[in-house]
Amino acid sequence: MSAIIAEPKSFFRADIEGLRALAVLGVIAFHFGVTDLPGGFVGVDVFFVISGYLITKHLLQEMDRRGTVDLLTFYARRARRLLPASIFVILVTLLAGYFILAPSEQQLYSKGALFASTYVINLWLIRWSLDYFAPDANSNPFIHFWSLSVEEQFYLVWPAVLLLFVRVRAGRRSLFIMMAGIAVISFALCAWLTEVSQPWAFYFSPFRAWEFALGGLASMTLSENWAKRSPVSPLLGWLGLGLIMATYLTVSEQDPFPGFIALAPAAGTVMVLLSGLRQSAAGPMRLLAMAPFQWTGKLSYSLYLWHWPVIVYAAMLMPDMTVMQHFACLALTFVLSIISYHLVENPIRRNAWLIAGTGRSIGLAAILTVSGAAVAYGNAKFAGRNFSSEQQMIATSAERSSSVRQSDESCVADLQTIKPKFCAFGAPVSDRTVVLFGDSHADHWSTPLIEIAKKEGFRLVTYMKSSCRATRMTTYSTKLRRNYTECDEWREQAMREIIAMKPQMVIISQLSIGHLDEEISDPSEYAARKKQWAEGIGSTVRTLSDAGMEIVYLRDVPTHKSYIDKCVARALWQKRNPSVCDTPRAEAMDEADSKTEREIIARIANARYVDMTDLFCNQTTCQAMIDGKLTFRDRHHIATPYAASLAGPVEQAVFGKERTAKVQPADSDGRKSEAASTAR
């Protein structure tokens, strides 16, 4: 992460260099999957506060000396410091991506490179994060540039704000009050949006401004004079380090972040910064000044730039990395960082010719920015020419929406919607009605069910809501970062409408209990949640069954170890067999959970449990491709073209009718077996 302002030697503080090391090591540990540091990602917040502290201090010092700020000179320094290394990493990452990523991924992530080159990738990621079917963020080798974009946007605006206050002759006390006001307003909005729309709170720079402003407040004379005189400063530094480490150890991705939680690492960083002013041996200065921290701190910018592309590409090439392979990736990160630090970052930052003329550095910034954007744009165009018929098929299969979504996107309610919307398909007028009820895992069955409804002349009505299971149980929304209460309200209203409609059959399909562990932060809660799940299934199915309708409960589909569309496209591009994307059946399906569901459904009158796993798996393996078709669009949503081919076996399993066209389960080589059981 940038957050690395080069101080004059007279101002150099070893504790700040050590803090940078602590921040970047937390981020790297988190991204490398060190489970003992689930909150390592808050190292970015430490960087933000450090940036606010250093940039404000430098600007105020310049104002004291000259009575103003030379904005062009300031931007020139930032350009020499940040742009060369970042553009270099972007270009190398794009080049490596040609050999690793499929053409569709090269096109997509070239957009990320373009936005990263122009320091607005955080705005792109806001939209991406709000899209339920957005590509897997863990595959984006440029996603970590979001924090650099936030910093660059801060660097663009903050000097002008301070300069404005100088021009109106505001005193330091007024400046302190103004900065505190910015911090309060920004934090209030950040905390509110963390609950309402977390991607905006996380990625949008105005809602992260409070962290920079906290650093700025710490740099003010009022704060520094107190810290230098106060005997509690050393203790304050240790408390600050404790806050940062406590956050590393206790916070996780599933917590509502940034919001109030981000106050801990931000406040901890301010405490350490103020403590360091006293230069006391009793404070954490001696620890942070140790050689390993100093060396890592100097490399922190390069380490931040390189670590994520290394992790992303290594995971693609070695999906099941061993501990030794993780260490090899870490070593590669340090090697690349050392190379770019000594050959790119430092030589350009300290180049005498560039330093001698502000216009030269600004010109360099323009050239680098345009070059990065141009290469990214050209790379996307070049990747488009590498689309073979197979690659096009994969891309089309992954992008094609279900029949319901093609008809009306709002038929699958979004996260905030509470009022149910029923959508009707099949025969416009019929004395027979079938309801499809559930979440997006009901939606992917809508394609074959609509075809069956048209053929058999009945009316198919859908009640579906994104990420909202039919099971009566409050779940946690990883998108909203809170309990999904909208789902509970929607579910009850939908069930009342279904009962009033009196359909002949209700088909229930939903994300299985096996995914609950992704929605809770404390594994000890899992047993209790499984019990709630079982009770919730029974409550939903029994309520509908008691109203006199037949209930068909579909077993959930397999969950693959990787995003099937990306994995298959990548395998084909690398001239490998798509079978490398298959998942062992024992890993893709949880038989114990299925047994629980079967037993619950078996005890309820007019209810049947239907298992169509054999449409996707043989006895040992769940295939990524069957009969030349992509089976899933991601990890667990059926690809629409494949779903369309399942009308025959679905009709047989759900309605007990034979059709001429059947899809049989595939053998391990992707061929059809002689027989398959689609209902149990």
Side-chain angles (χ1 to χ4, degrees):
M1 147 87 261
S2 82
I4 303 164
I5 313 298
E7 311 93 346
K9 289 187 178 180
S10 60
F11 180 68
F12 176 80
R13 281 178 50 181
D15 59 327
I16 293 180
E17 200 81 314
L19 263 181
R20 289 171 177 155
L22 188 65
V24 79
L25 289 174
V27 173
I28 291 174
F30 170 74
H31 284 150
F32 269 86
V34 178
T35 55
D36 290 337
L37 292 174
F41 61 89
V42 305
V44 170
D45 300 83
V46 175
F47 274 129
F48 285 167
V49 177
I50 295 174
S51 282
Y53 178 84
L54 291 174
I55 204 69
T56 305
K57 189 171 187 65
H58 285 305
L59 290 169
L60 292 178
Q61 286 177 341
E62 183 175 353
M63 290 176 185
D64 288 340
R65 290 194 311 269
R66 304 175 63 243
T68 186
V69 173
D70 186 338
L71 292 179
L72 287 181
T73 300
F74 170 80
Y75 295 139
R77 288 198 302 265
R78 299 280 59 74
R80 290 196 307 272
R81 178 67 182 89
L82 302 175
L83 287 180
S86 65
I87 296 298
F88 178 64
V89 171
I90 288 170
L91 296 180
V92 173
T93 303
L94 283 172
L95 177 63
Y98 173 80
F99 302 98
I100 299 172
L101 301 171
S104 59
E105 292 177 300
Q106 293 174 36
Q107 279 192 319
L108 174 64
Y109 299 137
S110 290
K111 292 181 182 178
L114 190 152
F115 292 126
S117 298
T118 52
Y119 287 94
V120 291
I121 193 172
N122 59 321
L123 304 180
W124 183 52
L125 291 172
I126 290 171
R127 182 180 174 217
W128 195 357
S129 299
L130 294 170
D131 180 359
Y132 180 76
F133 286 110
D136 180 22
N138 289 332
S139 298
N140 183 346
F142 301 102
I143 194 171
H144 64 313
F145 276 85
W146 76 268
S147 58
L148 306 184
S149 295
V150 169
E151 287 215 21
E152 281 298 302
Q153 290 156 21
F154 165 73
Y155 296 152
L156 183 65
V157 174
W158 195 243
V161 171
L162 295 182
L163 185 58
L164 176 63
F165 264 73
V166 170
R167 291 285 170 82
V168 299
R169 300 186 182 278
R172 285 300 167 86
R173 189 175 296 275
S174 298
L175 187 59
F176 188 94
I177 293 171
M178 177 276 294
M179 213 175 291
I182 290 174
V184 169
I185 294 170
S186 173
F187 175 74
L189 291 171
C190 177
W192 173 65
L193 277 166
T194 298
E195 300 296 329
V196 176
S197 183
Q198 189 263 351
W200 279 97
F202 193 91
Y203 288 121
F204 196 41
S205 51
F207 306 138
R208 289 301 193 111
W210 65 273
E211 294 178 287
F212 297 98
L214 278 183
L217 289 169
S219 75
M220 299 287 286
T221 305
L222 288 172
S223 304
E224 292 197 335
N225 286 344
W226 173 86
K228 289 174 182 177
R229 294 193 304 265
S230 175
V232 301
S233 286
L235 176 61
L236 194 70
W238 288 113
L239 287 175
L241 276 184
L243 270 178
I244 294 170
M245 291 309 302
T247 314
Y248 281 8
L249 293 168
T250 60
V251 175
S252 76
E253 279 186 291
Q254 295 182 349
D255 291 314
F257 193 88
F260 286 97
I261 295 174
L263 274 175
T269 306
V270 168
M271 292 178 187
V272 177
L273 291 171
L274 291 175
S275 173
L277 290 166
R278 192 173 172 86
Q279 300 288 313
S280 170
M285 170 70 79
R286 185 171 295 178
L287 172 65
L288 294 173
M290 292 175 66
F293 283 109
Q294 295 299 295
W295 184 73
T296 305
K298 285 183 174 63
L299 289 175
S300 56
Y301 182 44
S302 290
L303 285 169
Y304 185 84
L305 290 173
W306 281 114
H307 83 283
W308 185 244
V310 169
I311 292 171
V312 169
Y313 287 159
M316 291 176 180
L317 297 172
M318 302 174 290
D320 301 309
M321 280 195 291
T322 64
V323 173
M324 290 306 298
Q325 287 171 330
H326 273 97
F327 275 112
C329 289
L330 183 61
L332 177 60
T333 298
F334 272 89
V335 169
L336 292 171
S337 300
I338 292 169
I339 291 172
S340 65
Y341 177 77
H342 289 289
L343 299 184
V344 178
E345 187 179 330
N346 260 0
I348 295 179
R349 177 177 55 168
R350 296 172 179 172
N351 184 275
W353 183 82
L354 289 172
I355 294 173
T358 298
R360 297 170 186 176
S361 295
I362 297 295
L364 174 68
I367 291 170
L368 290 175
T369 300
V370 170
S371 298
V375 171
Y377 180 80
N379 192 67
K381 290 295 183 182
F382 182 73
R385 297 183 178 182
N386 291 324
F387 268 76
S388 63
S389 58
E390 287 180 314
Q391 292 288 344
Q392 189 61 54
M393 181 272 292
I394 299 299
T396 302
S397 297
E399 292 169 1
R400 184 174 158 191
S401 300
S402 68
S403 296
V404 165
R405 288 182 182 270
Q406 289 177 46
S407 172
D408 185 350
E409 280 281 348
S410 65
C411 288
V412 183
D414 60 25
L415 296 177
Q416 280 81 24
T417 298
I418 294 174
K419 182 176 174 56
K421 175 179 180 178
F422 80 87
C423 296
F425 303 90
V429 178
S430 175
D431 59 358
R432 186 180 177 208
T433 298
V434 174
V435 170
L436 177 60
F437 179 40
D439 53 20
S440 60
H441 279 218
D443 178 46
H444 61 200
W445 289 114
S446 68
T447 300
L449 286 170
I450 288 174
E451 182 185 335
I452 296 167
K454 290 177 180 177
K455 172 183 172 290
E456 297 298 330
F458 63 82
R459 187 174 70 142
L460 178 71
V461 173
T462 63
Y463 279 93
M464 299 183 295
K465 179 173 170 63
S466 181
S467 301
C468 183
R469 297 175 174 93
T471 298
R472 274 175 160 162
M473 183 182 75
T474 300
T475 57
Y476 181 87
S477 170
T478 55
K479 287 283 185 181
L480 299 174
R481 302 290 175 122
R482 58 175 171 79
N483 284 341
Y484 194 9
T485 55
E486 291 90 342
C487 174
D488 296 337
E489 294 182 51
W490 177 91
R491 183 193 305 115
E492 293 307 311
Q493 291 186 52
M495 289 177 64
R496 287 195 294 269
E497 291 187 18
I498 292 170
I499 291 170
M501 190 182 297
K502 300 187 184 300
Q504 281 69 42
M505 176 186 288
V506 177
I507 301 170
I508 295 175
S509 180
Q510 59 187 358
L511 194 66
S512 75
I513 186 177
H515 292 267
L516 282 177
D517 60 343
E518 301 170 6
E519 302 166 14
I520 58 176
S521 56
D522 185 354
S524 65
E525 298 177 13
Y526 192 53
R529 298 290 279 169
K530 285 186 72 170
K531 182 180 179 182
Q532 292 175 18
W533 169 269
E535 293 171 350
I537 290 176
S539 176
T540 296
V541 176
R542 194 172 290 107
T543 297
L544 295 173
S545 173
D546 289 348
M549 55 198 77
E550 181 184 4
I551 310 300
V552 173
Y553 187 97
L554 301 183
R555 182 184 184 182
D556 196 16
V557 297
T559 297
H560 282 268
K561 60 187 178 184
S562 60
Y563 278 61
I564 293 302
D565 58 325
K566 293 180 182 300
C567 184
V568 170
R570 209 178 293 141
L572 293 171
W573 176 249
Q574 297 168 6
K575 309 300 182 186
R576 295 188 295 164
N577 194 306
S579 63
V580 299
C581 304
D582 295 348
T583 301
R585 181 165 177 154
E587 295 179 19
M589 306 296 293
D590 192 314
E591 295 302 330
D593 289 340
S594 176
K595 181 173 182 288
T596 299
E597 292 175 344
R598 289 174 193 274
E599 291 172 349
I600 293 168
I601 301 303
R603 293 194 293 267
I604 301 174
N606 302 322
R608 287 188 292 126
Y609 189 85
V610 174
D611 183 351
M612 291 185 280
T613 304
D614 287 347
L615 297 176
F616 310 97
C617 313
N618 58 34
Q619 293 300 310
T620 61
T621 308
C622 296
Q623 284 81 37
M625 293 191 74
I626 295 178
D627 266 6
K629 290 186 175 67
L630 192 74
T631 52
F632 290 86
R633 62 176 298 170
D634 46 30
R635 292 180 62 219
H636 49 72
H637 290 95
I638 308 171
T640 298
Y642 186 67
S645 71
L646 302 180
V650 169
E651 184 172 4
Q652 178 185 351
V654 175
F655 302 100
K657 291 191 176 183
E658 288 280 354
R659 281 176 51 134
T660 304
K662 285 187 181 179
V663 175
Q664 304 289 2
D667 292 321
S668 59
D669 61 0
R671 296 173 302 175
K672 300 295 174 60
S673 62
E674 294 300 318
S677 173
T678 57
R680 304 183 191 280

